[in-house]
Amino acid sequence: MNAVRNPGRVAGLWYLLLVLGGPLRLIYIPNKLFVHGDAAATAANIAAHPLLFRFGMASDLLGAVVLIFLVLAFYRLFKGVDQQLAVLLVISGGIMPALINFVNVVTDAGALMVAEGPDFLSTFDKPQRDALVMLFVRLHHHQIVAAEILWGLWLFPMGALAYKSGFLPRFIGVWLIVNGVAYLVLSLTGLFFPEYQDKVFLYSQPALFGELAIMLWLVIKGARPPELVTARL
């Protein structure tokens, strides 16, 4: 079944690419390079592994591009269900998070630049430069916390579209909405009670599998809007 006849599989493959690229910057690099509460060690690790850190920046850029193509694929899939909800999905799930990704690359570039200690920063002593590196790293984290609002909000129109579509299981639509609520709770926890964010993330795992469920469904089974089925017949 080709991409024209099965636009759901196209969306699923873009989703899979997004999921595969995310862990490098979100999980692996922080665990490998960042030392909580130790600016000097964090700066030294970044300076010692600049290529790995640049790969993390590239993954953010790639993620931004993939997001745009992903939401366009979802728009094609769902525009016949409810065009206004499909447009909302594109804005909240693609355009705005992609912009945050690009901004995050700038903060990472700042951290790397300071960690490498160029001559024009020689007026700052080493502890000051280390503190600046940690500042950029934490700004990146707080931008992710802010982005979680959008990660949650775009799942509301997606869940509603999946529920109304008739060509996707309704339980996935409900799961996506629950997933969206979980992201909103995570973001607000990171903003107001950051010390509890890890615990809330752990407890919210079942809800966060909603995105994985729709991705796997689309990759394995795909989805075809009724108008495409009718056109084929």
Side-chain angles (χ1 to χ4, degrees):
M1 191 178 296
N2 61 34
V4 173
R5 293 174 179 171
N6 197 334
R9 184 159 293 136
V10 175
L13 291 172
W14 281 116
Y15 222 146
L16 179 61
L17 183 58
L18 182 69
V19 169
L20 291 177
L24 177 63
R25 182 59 185 87
L26 291 175
I27 299 174
Y28 181 75
I29 287 178
N31 289 339
K32 178 77 174 178
L33 302 182
F34 303 161
V35 181
H36 182 71
D38 192 332
T42 298
N45 287 340
I46 293 173
H49 302 88
L51 187 59
L52 175 60
F53 200 70
R54 290 181 188 276
F55 272 120
M57 295 163 63
S59 73
D60 268 348
L61 292 174
L62 177 62
V65 174
V66 170
L67 268 174
I68 298 298
F69 284 99
L70 171 61
V71 294
L72 289 177
F74 271 129
Y75 179 79
R76 180 174 177 236
L77 180 65
F78 287 129
K79 64 181 179 180
V81 179
D82 188 317
Q83 190 170 18
Q84 288 186 333
L85 284 177
V87 169
L88 182 60
L89 185 153
V90 170
I91 295 172
S92 60
I95 297 173
M96 296 175 67
L99 289 174
I100 292 179
N101 271 28
F102 283 117
V103 172
N104 268 340
V105 172
V106 175
T107 60
D108 273 354
L112 181 60
M113 186 186 307
V114 178
E116 291 180 329
D119 291 340
F120 67 84
L121 290 176
S122 59
T123 54
F124 296 93
D125 59 29
K126 184 64 166 58
Q128 289 174 325
R129 293 198 300 271
D130 294 342
L132 281 174
V133 171
M134 185 63 83
L135 173 63
F136 283 121
V137 166
R138 289 187 177 178
L139 280 175
H140 188 287
H141 169 73
H142 287 297
Q143 286 165 342
I144 293 296
V145 170
E148 285 174 342
I149 289 284
L150 296 171
W151 297 357
L153 288 179
W154 87 303
L155 295 180
F156 292 111
M158 191 198 298
L161 288 164
Y163 188 87
K164 294 169 60 177
S165 68
F167 51 81
L168 288 172
R170 286 191 165 186
F171 80 88
I172 289 182
V174 175
W175 201 348
L176 287 170
I177 292 172
V178 174
N179 196 155
V181 172
Y183 270 130
L184 293 181
V185 171
L186 273 172
S187 183
L188 294 174
T189 302
L191 181 62
F192 292 104
F193 309 104
E195 66 274 16
Y196 296 108
Q197 192 173 25
D198 290 343
K199 185 175 292 187
V200 172
F201 177 76
L202 181 63
Y203 291 149
S204 63
Q205 284 302 300
L208 297 176
F209 289 146
E211 285 189 277
L212 183 63
I214 191 171
M215 182 203 73
L216 291 175
W217 183 278
L218 291 174
V219 168
I220 296 169
K221 299 201 66 172
R224 288 180 295 165
E227 61 268 21
L228 289 183
V229 176
T230 303
R232 187 186 179 193
L233 296 175

XYZ file of all heavy atoms in Angstrom, residues 74-90 157-158 160-162 164-165 167 227:
210
model
N -0.011 14.809 9.305
C -1.229 14.683 10.095
C -2.349 15.555 9.521
O -3.524 15.171 9.546
C -0.966 15.053 11.552
C -0.532 13.906 12.401
C 0.606 13.989 13.201
C -1.254 12.728 12.437
C 1.008 12.931 13.996
C -0.866 11.653 13.221
C 0.273 11.757 14.004
N -1.985 16.729 9.024
C -3.002 17.600 8.421
C -3.643 16.907 7.218
O -4.866 16.921 7.053
C -2.382 18.923 7.992
C -3.378 19.852 7.336
C -4.279 20.590 8.106
C -3.434 19.977 5.947
C -5.209 21.431 7.504
C -4.355 20.812 5.342
C -5.238 21.525 6.130
O -6.168 22.352 5.533
N -2.814 16.303 6.399
C -3.342 15.580 5.242
C -4.249 14.435 5.674
O -5.271 14.155 5.042
C -2.179 15.050 4.400
C -2.626 14.272 3.170
C -1.444 13.904 2.291
N -1.910 13.105 1.169
C -1.446 11.895 0.877
N -0.503 11.350 1.622
N -1.899 11.239 -0.156
N -3.884 13.776 6.761
C -4.658 12.639 7.250
C -6.002 13.070 7.831
O -7.028 12.411 7.630
C -3.837 11.883 8.297
C -4.480 10.652 8.947
C -4.704 9.560 7.913
C -3.597 10.143 10.094
N -6.006 14.203 8.566
C -7.180 14.568 9.362
C -7.996 15.740 8.819
O -9.032 16.064 9.391
C -6.739 14.923 10.786
C -6.318 13.749 11.623
C -5.100 13.766 12.300
C -7.131 12.643 11.761
C -4.715 12.701 13.094
C -6.753 11.565 12.554
C -5.538 11.596 13.217
N -7.562 16.390 7.744
C -8.258 17.600 7.308
C -9.712 17.341 6.946
O -10.563 18.223 7.087
C -7.532 18.243 6.135
C -7.498 17.402 4.865
C -6.734 18.121 3.760
C -6.681 17.256 2.488
N -5.947 17.940 1.397
N -10.024 16.126 6.490
C -11.405 15.788 6.168
C -12.262 15.515 7.381
O -13.492 15.510 7.284
N -11.628 15.299 8.537
C -12.375 15.049 9.787
C -12.835 16.371 10.392
O -14.009 16.558 10.709
C -11.507 14.260 10.789
C -12.277 14.028 12.095
C -11.057 12.937 10.185
N -11.889 17.290 10.577
C -12.195 18.619 11.112
C -11.010 19.517 10.772
O -9.948 19.415 11.387
C -12.410 18.560 12.628
C -12.926 19.866 13.204
O -12.413 20.925 12.800
O -13.826 19.835 14.056
N -11.197 20.380 9.790
C -10.076 21.173 9.298
C -9.553 22.144 10.354
O -8.355 22.369 10.453
C -10.470 21.936 8.037
C -9.283 22.595 7.345
C -9.624 23.130 5.985
O -10.783 23.316 5.658
N -8.615 23.386 5.172
N -10.437 22.728 11.159
C -9.981 23.677 12.181
C -9.108 22.992 13.224
O -8.072 23.522 13.621
C -11.176 24.350 12.843
C -11.888 25.357 11.949
C -12.978 26.096 12.684
O -13.570 25.599 13.644
N -13.267 27.317 12.240
N -9.518 21.800 13.659
C -8.686 21.056 14.607
C -7.364 20.648 13.967
O -6.323 20.657 14.627
C -9.434 19.819 15.102
C -10.543 20.034 16.134
C -11.225 18.711 16.458
C -9.976 20.652 17.413
N -7.408 20.307 12.687
C -6.173 19.926 11.994
C -5.205 21.104 11.905
O -3.992 20.940 12.061
C -6.501 19.391 10.603
N -5.727 22.306 11.659
C -4.877 23.501 11.631
C -4.292 23.771 13.015
O -3.109 24.110 13.151
C -5.676 24.715 11.127
C -4.896 26.011 11.344
C -6.029 24.545 9.656
N -5.106 23.618 14.061
C -4.621 23.802 15.427
C -3.502 22.816 15.747
O -2.517 23.168 16.408
C -5.781 23.640 16.413
C -5.465 23.847 17.894
C -4.937 25.253 18.146
C -6.712 23.594 18.747
N -3.648 21.596 15.262
C -2.603 20.585 15.462
C -1.294 21.036 14.802
O -0.214 20.894 15.384
C -3.084 19.254 14.882
C -2.212 18.008 15.062
C -3.086 16.760 15.043
C -1.165 17.897 13.966
N -1.388 21.575 13.582
C -0.194 22.027 12.867
C 0.517 23.145 13.627
O 1.745 23.137 13.772
C -0.567 22.498 11.447
C 0.615 23.203 10.787
C -1.013 21.311 10.603
N -6.101 18.363 20.138
C -6.727 18.239 18.821
C -6.427 16.901 18.149
O -7.290 16.337 17.472
C -6.135 19.410 18.022
C -4.915 19.829 18.753
C -5.189 19.526 20.198
N -5.218 16.352 18.357
C -4.933 15.059 17.752
C -5.831 13.972 18.329
O -6.366 13.121 17.599
C -3.460 14.674 17.961
C -3.056 13.456 17.122
S -1.542 12.639 17.689
C -0.365 13.947 17.492
N -8.798 14.381 19.727
C -10.168 14.609 19.260
C -10.337 14.145 17.819
O -11.359 13.527 17.463
C -10.515 16.088 19.390
N -9.349 14.415 16.969
C -9.418 13.994 15.571
C -9.384 12.473 15.452
O -10.118 11.891 14.644
C -8.260 14.619 14.790
C -8.376 16.128 14.538
C -7.028 16.710 14.125
C -9.432 16.409 13.472
N -8.510 11.838 16.226
C -8.451 10.377 16.197
C -9.777 9.773 16.658
O -10.274 8.798 16.074
C -7.305 9.883 17.072
N -12.805 11.146 16.510
C -13.880 11.440 15.569
C -13.674 10.798 14.200
O -14.625 10.716 13.407
C -14.008 12.962 15.373
C -14.455 13.731 16.596
C -14.302 15.238 16.401
C -15.136 15.745 15.234
N -15.032 17.228 15.099
N -12.462 10.367 13.920
C -12.105 10.005 12.546
C -12.890 8.819 11.989
O -13.280 8.812 10.827
C -10.602 9.718 12.463
O -10.281 8.529 13.180
N -11.476 6.044 11.400
C -10.481 5.135 10.821
C -9.324 4.872 11.783
O -8.340 4.229 11.412
C -9.962 5.653 9.473
C -9.482 7.081 9.466
C -8.215 7.407 9.926
C -10.296 8.089 8.988
C -7.769 8.716 9.909
C -9.852 9.406 8.963
C -8.590 9.722 9.427
N -12.427 9.311 2.189
C -12.463 9.830 0.827
C -11.421 9.151 -0.065
O -11.630 8.971 -1.253
C -12.258 11.353 0.802
C -10.933 11.834 1.372
C -11.019 12.167 2.849
O -11.951 11.657 3.499
O -10.174 12.939 3.331
